[in-house]
Amino acid sequence: MNITDIFKIPLFRNFTQKMQDEFLENIEYTIEEHSKGKTIIHQGSPCHAIHVLLKGKLNVDVVDVSGGEVRVEVIKAPRTFATPHVFAEKNQFPATFSVEEDVVLMKIPKESFFKVMHTMPLLLHNFLCVSTSCNKCTMTRLRVLSFRGIRSRYIYYLLDHLKEGEVTVEMEHNQVQLAEYFGVTRPALSKEIGKLVENGLISLGRGKVKILNKQALINLL
């Protein structure tokens, strides 16, 4: 692990060497190490710092509409997480984070980050871009998880990723990753996808799904 790995992530994109040196010189931060299996953040707890995962993996789980905990993502270093929630009115973590693989975590207090951000326009620009991207991803996951049935979650996912004027979805996840994203088993997901194929609503290709009957899919939601 190298502290300069933070400059590989979008929040610090396009920083010159001089900007990197100035940032590390002026920012306050702490470094934490956590072992596999430990829950380091609970959903709803206060978020008072920028969190940068420097090493390892974290499981991300949320409580769905039925009260169950659902795995929505596994994040890998280096990257930030929950970034937009630092300056939100209700600055709370949107999920529970537990250690999948031993992690090294960098925490930058929001007061220190805010102060430095005022002197570095590029950092402010990157922060806004990251926040927009994070909010979009969060809302998509929450909408997916609002559907209780596996088939409905899969259909919503497809329609949400379907670009206007097209009939083919370029899949960001394989079936194993999708099952984790939906919080279900892979065999159960595979069974539901098979039914959609058998009914002539979709067809599968390498990393792609073709929508054969969009209206019928909408009717199944």
Side-chain angles (χ1 to χ4, degrees), residues 54-70:
L54 295 175
K55 179 182 177 181
K57 299 179 183 178
L58 288 173
N59 294 322
V60 186
D61 301 286
V62 299
V63 176
D64 66 8
V65 293
S66 63
E69 197 167 68
V70 176

Side-chain angles (χ1 to χ4, degrees), residues 99-147:
V99 181
E100 171 64 22
E101 185 179 286
D102 291 0
V103 306
V104 176
L105 184 66
M106 178 183 189
K107 295 170 67 173
I108 306 171
K110 69 176 182 179
E111 294 81 6
S112 179
F113 185 83
F114 189 66
K115 182 179 179 180
V116 174
M117 189 164 57
H118 269 73
T119 67
M120 305 181 76
L122 181 57
L123 180 59
L124 174 58
H125 173 271
N126 289 349
F127 177 83
L128 294 174
C129 290
V130 169
S131 296
T132 300
S133 178
C134 287
N135 283 332
K136 180 180 178 181
C137 292
T138 298
M139 290 308 299
T140 296
R141 293 189 185 107
L142 290 177
R143 290 192 187 104
V144 166
L145 295 176
S146 70
F147 294 95

Side-chain angles (χ1 to χ4, degrees), residues 1-3 5-6 31 52-56 77-79 104-106:
M1 184 276 300
N2 191 321
I3 193 67
D5 285 346
I6 65 172
I31 299 293
V52 186
L53 184 63
L54 295 175
K55 179 182 177 181
R79 64 165 285 181
V104 176
L105 184 66
M106 178 183 189

